[in-house]
Structures are given as structure tokens and as C-alpha cells.
mmCIF file of all heavy atoms in Angstrom:
data_model
loop_
_atom_site.group_PDB
_atom_site.id
_atom_site.type_symbol
_atom_site.label_atom_id
_atom_site.label_comp_id
_atom_site.label_asym_id
_atom_site.label_seq_id
_atom_site.Cartn_x
_atom_site.Cartn_y
_atom_site.Cartn_z
ATOM 1 N N GLU A 1 -9.120 11.036 3.242
ATOM 2 C CA GLU A 1 -10.265 11.063 4.143
ATOM 3 C C GLU A 1 -11.384 10.133 3.659
ATOM 4 O O GLU A 1 -12.094 9.542 4.459
ATOM 5 C CB GLU A 1 -10.801 12.493 4.317
ATOM 6 C CG GLU A 1 -9.854 13.428 5.036
ATOM 7 C CD GLU A 1 -8.741 13.997 4.152
ATOM 8 O OE1 GLU A 1 -8.842 13.906 2.922
ATOM 9 O OE2 GLU A 1 -7.769 14.516 4.702
ATOM 10 N N GLU A 2 -11.533 10.000 2.350
ATOM 11 C CA GLU A 2 -12.550 9.101 1.797
ATOM 12 C C GLU A 2 -12.209 7.632 2.061
ATOM 13 O O GLU A 2 -13.089 6.829 2.314
ATOM 14 C CB GLU A 2 -12.664 9.292 0.286
ATOM 15 C CG GLU A 2 -13.226 10.606 -0.140
ATOM 16 C CD GLU A 2 -13.087 10.825 -1.634
ATOM 17 O OE1 GLU A 2 -12.278 10.154 -2.297
ATOM 18 O OE2 GLU A 2 -13.810 11.700 -2.133
ATOM 19 N N GLY A 3 -10.932 7.295 1.981
ATOM 20 C CA GLY A 3 -10.516 5.906 2.117
ATOM 21 C C GLY A 3 -10.102 5.530 3.511
ATOM 22 O O GLY A 3 -10.336 4.425 3.971
ATOM 23 N N GLY A 4 -9.435 6.434 4.185
ATOM 24 C CA GLY A 4 -9.007 6.177 5.542
ATOM 25 C C GLY A 4 -7.562 5.740 5.666
ATOM 26 O O GLY A 4 -6.890 5.451 4.684
ATOM 27 N N SER A 5 -7.091 5.712 6.899
ATOM 28 C CA SER A 5 -5.718 5.346 7.225
ATOM 29 C C SER A 5 -5.730 4.361 8.382
ATOM 30 O O SER A 5 -6.610 4.402 9.228
ATOM 31 C CB SER A 5 -4.917 6.584 7.637
ATOM 32 O OG SER A 5 -4.843 7.505 6.578
ATOM 33 N N PHE A 6 -4.719 3.476 8.398
ATOM 34 C CA PHE A 6 -4.566 2.546 9.503
ATOM 35 C C PHE A 6 -3.149 1.997 9.526
ATOM 36 O O PHE A 6 -2.390 2.149 8.571
ATOM 37 C CB PHE A 6 -5.593 1.411 9.434
ATOM 38 C CG PHE A 6 -5.468 0.532 8.221
ATOM 39 C CD1 PHE A 6 -4.749 -0.655 8.276
ATOM 40 C CD2 PHE A 6 -6.083 0.886 7.027
ATOM 41 C CE1 PHE A 6 -4.641 -1.467 7.164
ATOM 42 C CE2 PHE A 6 -5.984 0.071 5.912
ATOM 43 C CZ PHE A 6 -5.253 -1.109 5.979
ATOM 44 N N SER A 7 -2.789 1.376 10.638
ATOM 45 C CA SER A 7 -1.479 0.744 10.805
ATOM 46 C C SER A 7 -1.665 -0.757 10.880
ATOM 47 O O SER A 7 -2.660 -1.241 11.419
ATOM 48 C CB SER A 7 -0.799 1.244 12.081
ATOM 49 O OG SER A 7 -0.534 2.622 11.971
ATOM 50 N N LYS A 8 -0.670 -1.493 10.327
ATOM 51 C CA LYS A 8 -0.776 -2.945 10.277
ATOM 52 C C LYS A 8 0.630 -3.550 10.232
ATOM 53 O O LYS A 8 1.361 -3.321 9.272
ATOM 54 C CB LYS A 8 -1.566 -3.344 9.030
ATOM 55 C CG LYS A 8 -1.686 -4.820 8.772
ATOM 56 C CD LYS A 8 -2.473 -5.057 7.482
ATOM 57 C CE LYS A 8 -2.469 -6.511 7.118
ATOM 58 N NZ LYS A 8 -3.159 -6.763 5.851
ATOM 59 N N HIS A 9 1.012 -4.296 11.254
ATOM 60 C CA HIS A 9 2.255 -5.061 11.279
ATOM 61 C C HIS A 9 3.500 -4.234 10.931
ATOM 62 O O HIS A 9 4.361 -4.670 10.180
ATOM 63 C CB HIS A 9 2.162 -6.283 10.358
ATOM 64 C CG HIS A 9 0.952 -7.122 10.603
ATOM 65 N ND1 HIS A 9 0.732 -7.780 11.794
ATOM 66 C CD2 HIS A 9 -0.120 -7.386 9.818
ATOM 67 C CE1 HIS A 9 -0.417 -8.425 11.728
ATOM 68 N NE2 HIS A 9 -0.959 -8.193 10.554
ATOM 69 N N GLY A 10 3.574 -3.004 11.450
ATOM 70 C CA GLY A 10 4.756 -2.176 11.268
ATOM 71 C C GLY A 10 4.683 -1.167 10.140
ATOM 72 O O GLY A 10 5.633 -0.431 9.921
ATOM 73 N N ILE A 11 3.570 -1.111 9.420
ATOM 74 C CA ILE A 11 3.438 -0.135 8.343
ATOM 75 C C ILE A 11 2.217 0.732 8.570
ATOM 76 O O ILE A 11 1.253 0.324 9.209
ATOM 77 C CB ILE A 11 3.360 -0.797 6.947
ATOM 78 C CG1 ILE A 11 2.137 -1.706 6.815
ATOM 79 C CG2 ILE A 11 4.640 -1.557 6.639
ATOM 80 C CD1 ILE A 11 1.928 -2.270 5.424
ATOM 81 N N ASP A 12 2.283 1.958 8.053
ATOM 82 C CA ASP A 12 1.159 2.877 8.072
ATOM 83 C C ASP A 12 0.630 2.998 6.650
ATOM 84 O O ASP A 12 1.400 3.252 5.716
ATOM 85 C CB ASP A 12 1.584 4.256 8.589
ATOM 86 C CG ASP A 12 2.051 4.207 10.028
ATOM 87 O OD1 ASP A 12 1.440 3.473 10.834
ATOM 88 O OD2 ASP A 12 3.031 4.896 10.355
ATOM 89 N N LEU A 13 -0.668 2.808 6.474
ATOM 90 C CA LEU A 13 -1.293 2.844 5.153
ATOM 91 C C LEU A 13 -2.338 3.945 5.078
ATOM 92 O O LEU A 13 -3.111 4.128 6.017
ATOM 93 C CB LEU A 13 -1.983 1.504 4.861
ATOM 94 C CG LEU A 13 -1.044 0.324 4.736
ATOM 95 C CD1 LEU A 13 -1.590 -0.864 5.498
ATOM 96 C CD2 LEU A 13 -0.868 -0.025 3.289
ATOM 97 N N SER A 14 -2.350 4.648 3.955
ATOM 98 C CA SER A 14 -3.416 5.587 3.610
ATOM 99 C C SER A 14 -4.017 5.064 2.319
ATOM 100 O O SER A 14 -3.331 4.968 1.308
ATOM 101 C CB SER A 14 -2.851 6.991 3.393
ATOM 102 O OG SER A 14 -2.227 7.458 4.563
ATOM 103 N N ILE A 15 -5.302 4.707 2.347
ATOM 104 C CA ILE A 15 -5.961 4.065 1.219
ATOM 105 C C ILE A 15 -6.745 5.105 0.414
ATOM 106 O O ILE A 15 -7.411 5.958 0.975
ATOM 107 C CB ILE A 15 -6.928 2.965 1.709
ATOM 108 C CG1 ILE A 15 -6.224 2.001 2.656
ATOM 109 C CG2 ILE A 15 -7.565 2.239 0.526
ATOM 110 C CD1 ILE A 15 -5.080 1.234 2.062
ATOM 111 N N TYR A 16 -6.687 4.976 -0.916
ATOM 112 C CA TYR A 16 -7.369 5.906 -1.815
ATOM 113 C C TYR A 16 -8.349 5.165 -2.710
ATOM 114 O O TYR A 16 -8.022 4.115 -3.257
ATOM 115 C CB TYR A 16 -6.363 6.634 -2.710
ATOM 116 C CG TYR A 16 -5.438 7.519 -1.925
ATOM 117 C CD1 TYR A 16 -4.259 7.014 -1.398
ATOM 118 C CD2 TYR A 16 -5.761 8.846 -1.690
ATOM 119 C CE1 TYR A 16 -3.413 7.823 -0.658
ATOM 120 C CE2 TYR A 16 -4.919 9.659 -0.951
ATOM 121 C CZ TYR A 16 -3.743 9.142 -0.440
ATOM 122 O OH TYR A 16 -2.916 9.934 0.289
ATOM 123 N N GLY A 17 -9.536 5.720 -2.896
ATOM 124 C CA GLY A 17 -10.477 5.305 -3.918
ATOM 125 C C GLY A 17 -10.892 3.852 -3.925
ATOM 126 O O GLY A 17 -10.474 3.100 -4.775
ATOM 127 N N HIS A 18 -11.739 3.442 -3.006
ATOM 128 C CA HIS A 18 -12.239 2.072 -2.971
ATOM 129 C C HIS A 18 -13.315 1.813 -4.032
ATOM 130 O O HIS A 18 -13.781 0.690 -4.152
ATOM 131 C CB HIS A 18 -12.828 1.757 -1.589
ATOM 132 C CG HIS A 18 -11.795 1.510 -0.556
ATOM 133 N ND1 HIS A 18 -11.110 0.331 -0.470
ATOM 134 C CD2 HIS A 18 -11.312 2.296 0.420
ATOM 135 C CE1 HIS A 18 -10.248 0.386 0.535
ATOM 136 N NE2 HIS A 18 -10.358 1.570 1.084
ATOM 137 N N SER A 19 -13.714 2.799 -4.781
ATOM 138 C CA SER A 19 -14.844 2.648 -5.696
ATOM 139 C C SER A 19 -14.493 1.966 -7.010
ATOM 140 O O SER A 19 -15.375 1.576 -7.754
ATOM 141 C CB SER A 19 -15.457 4.024 -5.985
ATOM 142 O OG SER A 19 -14.492 4.848 -6.612
ATOM 143 N N ASP A 20 -13.211 1.779 -7.313
ATOM 144 C CA ASP A 20 -12.796 1.202 -8.590
ATOM 145 C C ASP A 20 -12.335 -0.237 -8.388
ATOM 146 O O ASP A 20 -11.331 -0.475 -7.725
ATOM 147 C CB ASP A 20 -11.661 2.044 -9.178
ATOM 148 C CG ASP A 20 -11.295 1.641 -10.586
ATOM 149 O OD1 ASP A 20 -11.632 0.517 -11.001
ATOM 150 O OD2 ASP A 20 -10.667 2.457 -11.269
ATOM 151 N N PRO A 21 -13.052 -1.217 -8.932
ATOM 152 C CA PRO A 21 -12.684 -2.614 -8.717
ATOM 153 C C PRO A 21 -11.402 -3.032 -9.434
ATOM 154 O O PRO A 21 -10.877 -4.105 -9.180
ATOM 155 C CB PRO A 21 -13.886 -3.388 -9.258
ATOM 156 C CG PRO A 21 -14.522 -2.473 -10.238
ATOM 157 C CD PRO A 21 -14.263 -1.077 -9.734
ATOM 158 N N SER A 22 -10.875 -2.180 -10.318
ATOM 159 C CA SER A 22 -9.673 -2.557 -11.043
ATOM 160 C C SER A 22 -8.402 -2.387 -10.222
ATOM 161 O O SER A 22 -7.399 -3.041 -10.499
ATOM 162 C CB SER A 22 -9.551 -1.767 -12.350
ATOM 163 O OG SER A 22 -9.343 -0.391 -12.084
ATOM 164 N N ALA A 23 -8.419 -1.529 -9.196
ATOM 165 C CA ALA A 23 -7.201 -1.307 -8.411
ATOM 166 C C ALA A 23 -7.508 -0.639 -7.078
ATOM 167 O O ALA A 23 -8.471 0.101 -6.950
ATOM 168 C CB ALA A 23 -6.214 -0.434 -9.188
ATOM 169 N N THR A 24 -6.655 -0.934 -6.103
ATOM 170 C CA THR A 24 -6.616 -0.196 -4.844
ATOM 171 C C THR A 24 -5.257 0.491 -4.803
ATOM 172 O O THR A 24 -4.245 -0.136 -5.114
ATOM 173 C CB THR A 24 -6.737 -1.147 -3.635
ATOM 174 O OG1 THR A 24 -7.983 -1.837 -3.708
ATOM 175 C CG2 THR A 24 -6.651 -0.388 -2.320
ATOM 176 N N VAL A 25 -5.236 1.756 -4.438
ATOM 177 C CA VAL A 25 -3.991 2.507 -4.353
ATOM 178 C C VAL A 25 -3.804 2.965 -2.915
ATOM 179 O O VAL A 25 -4.750 3.420 -2.273
ATOM 180 C CB VAL A 25 -3.992 3.718 -5.316
ATOM 181 C CG1 VAL A 25 -2.718 4.527 -5.173
ATOM 182 C CG2 VAL A 25 -4.173 3.244 -6.755
ATOM 183 N N ALA A 26 -2.569 2.821 -2.414
ATOM 184 C CA ALA A 26 -2.275 3.196 -1.031
ATOM 185 C C ALA A 26 -0.907 3.849 -0.950
ATOM 186 O O ALA A 26 -0.001 3.516 -1.715
ATOM 187 C CB ALA A 26 -2.313 1.966 -0.126
ATOM 188 N N ARG A 27 -0.774 4.755 -0.014
ATOM 189 C CA ARG A 27 0.527 5.295 0.367
ATOM 190 C C ARG A 27 0.987 4.478 1.564
ATOM 191 O O ARG A 27 0.244 4.325 2.531
ATOM 192 C CB ARG A 27 0.397 6.761 0.747
ATOM 193 C CG ARG A 27 1.694 7.376 1.209
ATOM 194 C CD ARG A 27 1.480 8.866 1.499
ATOM 195 N NE ARG A 27 2.638 9.430 2.121
ATOM 196 C CZ ARG A 27 2.608 10.129 3.242
ATOM 197 N NH1 ARG A 27 1.459 10.358 3.857
ATOM 198 N NH2 ARG A 27 3.717 10.619 3.751
ATOM 199 N N VAL A 28 2.210 3.939 1.482
ATOM 200 C CA VAL A 28 2.755 3.093 2.540
ATOM 201 C C VAL A 28 3.960 3.800 3.146
ATOM 202 O O VAL A 28 4.860 4.230 2.429
ATOM 203 C CB VAL A 28 3.199 1.716 1.981
ATOM 204 C CG1 VAL A 28 3.790 0.854 3.089
ATOM 205 C CG2 VAL A 28 2.052 1.012 1.289
ATOM 206 N N GLN A 29 3.961 3.911 4.466
ATOM 207 C CA GLN A 29 5.111 4.434 5.184
ATOM 208 C C GLN A 29 5.585 3.360 6.149
ATOM 209 O O GLN A 29 4.778 2.808 6.903
ATOM 210 C CB GLN A 29 4.749 5.708 5.937
ATOM 211 C CG GLN A 29 4.414 6.858 4.996
ATOM 212 C CD GLN A 29 4.092 8.110 5.766
ATOM 213 O OE1 GLN A 29 3.062 8.191 6.419
ATOM 214 N NE2 GLN A 29 4.983 9.072 5.690
ATOM 215 N N VAL A 30 6.875 3.066 6.095
ATOM 216 C CA VAL A 30 7.439 2.033 6.947
ATOM 217 C C VAL A 30 8.732 2.575 7.561
ATOM 218 O O VAL A 30 9.529 3.195 6.876
ATOM 219 C CB VAL A 30 7.669 0.714 6.165
ATOM 220 C CG1 VAL A 30 8.568 0.918 4.958
ATOM 221 C CG2 VAL A 30 8.189 -0.373 7.036
ATOM 222 N N LYS A 31 8.901 2.368 8.862
ATOM 223 C CA LYS A 31 10.104 2.848 9.561
ATOM 224 C C LYS A 31 11.144 1.754 9.722
ATOM 225 O O LYS A 31 12.333 2.012 9.685
ATOM 226 C CB LYS A 31 9.730 3.413 10.923
ATOM 227 C CG LYS A 31 8.900 4.671 10.826
ATOM 228 C CD LYS A 31 8.531 5.205 12.187
ATOM 229 C CE LYS A 31 7.656 6.441 11.997
ATOM 230 N NZ LYS A 31 7.007 6.865 13.203
ATOM 231 N N ARG A 32 10.688 0.493 9.916
ATOM 232 C CA ARG A 32 11.629 -0.617 10.123
ATOM 233 C C ARG A 32 11.311 -1.825 9.265
ATOM 234 O O ARG A 32 12.195 -2.515 8.818
ATOM 235 C CB ARG A 32 11.641 -1.035 11.594
ATOM 236 C CG ARG A 32 12.198 0.056 12.513
ATOM 237 C CD ARG A 32 12.502 -0.442 13.912
ATOM 238 N NE ARG A 32 13.429 -1.562 13.888
ATOM 239 C CZ ARG A 32 13.242 -2.691 14.570
ATOM 240 N NH1 ARG A 32 12.173 -2.867 15.308
ATOM 241 N NH2 ARG A 32 14.125 -3.659 14.516
ATOM 242 N N GLY A 33 10.038 -2.114 9.097
ATOM 243 C CA GLY A 33 9.687 -3.283 8.303
ATOM 244 C C GLY A 33 8.220 -3.616 8.387
ATOM 245 O O GLY A 33 7.501 -3.128 9.246
ATOM 246 N N HIS A 34 7.787 -4.463 7.457
ATOM 247 C CA HIS A 34 6.440 -5.031 7.469
ATOM 248 C C HIS A 34 6.590 -6.414 8.076
ATOM 249 O O HIS A 34 7.102 -7.326 7.424
ATOM 250 C CB HIS A 34 5.873 -5.100 6.060
ATOM 251 C CG HIS A 34 4.446 -5.533 6.021
ATOM 252 N ND1 HIS A 34 3.867 -6.023 4.895
ATOM 253 C CD2 HIS A 34 3.471 -5.550 6.961
ATOM 254 C CE1 HIS A 34 2.602 -6.325 5.134
ATOM 255 N NE2 HIS A 34 2.342 -6.048 6.386
ATOM 256 N N PHE A 35 6.161 -6.571 9.298
ATOM 257 C CA PHE A 35 6.455 -7.741 10.115
ATOM 258 C C PHE A 35 5.421 -8.858 9.965
ATOM 259 O O PHE A 35 5.083 -9.543 10.915
ATOM 260 C CB PHE A 35 6.635 -7.327 11.576
ATOM 261 C CG PHE A 35 7.786 -6.374 11.740
ATOM 262 C CD1 PHE A 35 7.571 -5.026 11.966
ATOM 263 C CD2 PHE A 35 9.087 -6.835 11.634
ATOM 264 C CE1 PHE A 35 8.642 -4.151 12.093
ATOM 265 C CE2 PHE A 35 10.161 -5.974 11.764
ATOM 266 C CZ PHE A 35 9.939 -4.621 11.987
ATOM 267 N N GLN A 36 4.948 -9.024 8.752
ATOM 268 C CA GLN A 36 4.062 -10.140 8.422
ATOM 269 C C GLN A 36 4.433 -10.615 7.021
ATOM 270 O O GLN A 36 4.484 -9.821 6.077
ATOM 271 C CB GLN A 36 2.597 -9.719 8.421
ATOM 272 C CG GLN A 36 1.679 -10.867 8.007
ATOM 273 C CD GLN A 36 0.284 -10.416 7.597
ATOM 274 O OE1 GLN A 36 0.086 -9.312 7.133
ATOM 275 N NE2 GLN A 36 -0.678 -11.291 7.761
ATOM 276 N N GLU A 37 4.697 -11.903 6.877
ATOM 277 C CA GLU A 37 4.859 -12.488 5.553
ATOM 278 C C GLU A 37 3.465 -12.925 5.103
ATOM 279 O O GLU A 37 2.735 -13.568 5.856
ATOM 280 C CB GLU A 37 5.814 -13.673 5.597
ATOM 281 C CG GLU A 37 6.101 -14.245 4.226
ATOM 282 C CD GLU A 37 7.167 -15.332 4.247
ATOM 283 O OE1 GLU A 37 7.508 -15.838 5.346
ATOM 284 O OE2 GLU A 37 7.652 -15.668 3.164
ATOM 285 N N PHE A 38 3.107 -12.564 3.858
ATOM 286 C CA PHE A 38 1.777 -12.860 3.346
ATOM 287 C C PHE A 38 1.863 -13.090 1.841
ATOM 288 O O PHE A 38 2.898 -12.852 1.213
ATOM 289 C CB PHE A 38 0.807 -11.711 3.660
ATOM 290 C CG PHE A 38 1.111 -10.453 2.896
ATOM 291 C CD1 PHE A 38 0.432 -10.157 1.722
ATOM 292 C CD2 PHE A 38 2.075 -9.571 3.345
ATOM 293 C CE1 PHE A 38 0.716 -9.001 1.010
ATOM 294 C CE2 PHE A 38 2.376 -8.411 2.636
ATOM 295 C CZ PHE A 38 1.690 -8.133 1.469
ATOM 296 N N SER A 39 0.771 -13.531 1.269
ATOM 297 C CA SER A 39 0.635 -13.615 -0.184
ATOM 298 C C SER A 39 -0.805 -13.261 -0.530
ATOM 299 O O SER A 39 -1.661 -13.184 0.343
ATOM 300 C CB SER A 39 0.983 -15.012 -0.699
ATOM 301 O OG SER A 39 0.044 -15.960 -0.229
ATOM 302 N N ASN A 40 -1.038 -13.022 -1.810
ATOM 303 C CA ASN A 40 -2.390 -12.746 -2.275
ATOM 304 C C ASN A 40 -2.666 -13.679 -3.448
ATOM 305 O O ASN A 40 -1.888 -13.737 -4.393
ATOM 306 C CB ASN A 40 -2.531 -11.289 -2.697
ATOM 307 C CG ASN A 40 -3.972 -10.915 -2.968
ATOM 308 O OD1 ASN A 40 -4.620 -11.450 -3.863
ATOM 309 N ND2 ASN A 40 -4.490 -9.970 -2.187
ATOM 310 N N GLU A 41 -3.753 -14.415 -3.370
ATOM 311 C CA GLU A 41 -4.077 -15.417 -4.385
ATOM 312 C C GLU A 41 -4.500 -14.831 -5.729
ATOM 313 O O GLU A 41 -4.353 -15.474 -6.760
ATOM 314 C CB GLU A 41 -5.188 -16.337 -3.888
ATOM 315 C CG GLU A 41 -4.765 -17.236 -2.768
ATOM 316 C CD GLU A 41 -5.854 -18.213 -2.364
ATOM 317 O OE1 GLU A 41 -7.023 -18.042 -2.768
ATOM 318 O OE2 GLU A 41 -5.523 -19.152 -1.626
ATOM 319 N N ARG A 42 -5.020 -13.607 -5.734
ATOM 320 C CA ARG A 42 -5.627 -13.060 -6.947
ATOM 321 C C ARG A 42 -4.936 -11.804 -7.469
ATOM 322 O O ARG A 42 -4.862 -11.588 -8.676
ATOM 323 C CB ARG A 42 -7.105 -12.747 -6.646
ATOM 324 C CG ARG A 42 -7.927 -12.276 -7.811
ATOM 325 C CD ARG A 42 -9.375 -12.065 -7.389
ATOM 326 N NE ARG A 42 -9.511 -11.041 -6.376
ATOM 327 C CZ ARG A 42 -9.932 -9.796 -6.610
ATOM 328 N NH1 ARG A 42 -10.262 -9.425 -7.823
ATOM 329 N NH2 ARG A 42 -10.033 -8.937 -5.628
ATOM 330 N N SER A 43 -4.420 -10.975 -6.587
ATOM 331 C CA SER A 43 -3.950 -9.654 -6.988
ATOM 332 C C SER A 43 -2.429 -9.560 -7.078
ATOM 333 O O SER A 43 -1.703 -10.238 -6.361
ATOM 334 C CB SER A 43 -4.433 -8.598 -5.994
ATOM 335 O OG SER A 43 -5.836 -8.527 -5.991
ATOM 336 N N SER A 44 -1.981 -8.679 -7.968
ATOM 337 C CA SER A 44 -0.580 -8.284 -8.042
ATOM 338 C C SER A 44 -0.391 -7.040 -7.179
ATOM 339 O O SER A 44 -1.309 -6.222 -7.053
ATOM 340 C CB SER A 44 -0.181 -7.943 -9.482
ATOM 341 O OG SER A 44 -0.213 -9.083 -10.293
ATOM 342 N N TYR A 45 0.791 -6.916 -6.584
ATOM 343 C CA TYR A 45 1.151 -5.734 -5.802
ATOM 344 C C TYR A 45 2.269 -5.031 -6.557
ATOM 345 O O TYR A 45 3.258 -5.660 -6.925
ATOM 346 C CB TYR A 45 1.655 -6.131 -4.407
ATOM 347 C CG TYR A 45 0.562 -6.543 -3.453
ATOM 348 C CD1 TYR A 45 -0.300 -7.601 -3.732
ATOM 349 C CD2 TYR A 45 0.397 -5.879 -2.253
ATOM 350 C CE1 TYR A 45 -1.297 -7.978 -2.847
ATOM 351 C CE2 TYR A 45 -0.593 -6.257 -1.354
ATOM 352 C CZ TYR A 45 -1.440 -7.299 -1.665
ATOM 353 O OH TYR A 45 -2.426 -7.664 -0.794
#
């Protein structure tokens, strides 16, 4: 509830604890796929 939930390109995300700059943690639920190819210049996943 603090972080919120949303859907993006075929996945459902629940985000936890935005207050810590060292990491973002999320629960990811996917039924078929994440339909976006992407990269991140700074962060590891």
C-alpha cells in the first residue's frame, strides 16, 4: 500500500519501500511475458 501496484507491458508489479536509494524491491507476476525489451544504464536487476 505504501509503494503501490501497477501493470506494464504484460506484467503486474507491486513496489515496496521507495525510501531506500540503495534498492527498489518489487513482486512481479507474469502470465505470458514482459512484452517490452529494455535495458537500464545504471542499475542491476
Side-chain angles (χ1 to χ4, degrees):
E1 293 80 15
E2 292 170 342
S5 298
F6 63 95
S7 296
K8 176 181 173 183
H9 309 296
I11 62 174
D12 296 321
L13 294 135
S14 299
I15 308 298
Y16 295 88
H18 284 283
S19 62
D20 188 341
S22 66
T24 299
V25 177
R27 178 177 172 232
V28 179
Q29 293 181 290
V30 57
K31 293 179 182 167
R32 294 193 57 228
H34 186 199
F35 299 105
Q36 177 197 28
E37 185 174 14
F38 68 97
S39 66
N40 189 297
E41 291 184 347
R42 185 177 62 102
S43 297
S44 293
Y45 284 59

